[in-house]
Amino acid sequence: MSDSQVMIKLTRDEALVLSHWLEQLRTADPGRVVDDPAVWAPLHRIAGTLDKALPELFAPDYDHRLETARQRLRPDG
């Protein structure tokens, strides 16, 4: 089996919400959610890629942007 790459495409809203969730996961008690240490390598790669792709993570109105993205992604939103 080759070690080829997989590409995942996300909307900006999806990327912002996922980035926030990954950050919460990293700063909480990750052992309760992720029980296999092998999972951390891809999670860190995804989080790093999102950090580089989303300048709004460092915007003064980040909380507002995050909540707006969440609202757009919710099925009832």
Side-chain angles (χ1 to χ4, degrees), residues 43-56:
L43 286 178
H44 285 299
R45 178 177 282 222
I46 292 167
T49 300
L50 292 173
D51 286 352
K52 291 176 191 171
L54 296 169
E56 50 269 63

Side-chain angles (χ1 to χ4, degrees), residues 30-62:
R32 291 183 53 201
V33 179
V34 179
D35 61 352
D36 182 355
V39 174
W40 284 108
L43 286 178
H44 285 299
R45 178 177 282 222
I46 292 167
T49 300
L50 292 173
D51 286 352
K52 291 176 191 171
L54 296 169
E56 50 269 63
L57 294 176
F58 308 101
D61 62 343
Y62 168 75

Side-chain angles (χ1 to χ4, degrees), residues 62 70 76:
Y62 168 75
R70 286 176 168 160
D76 60 350

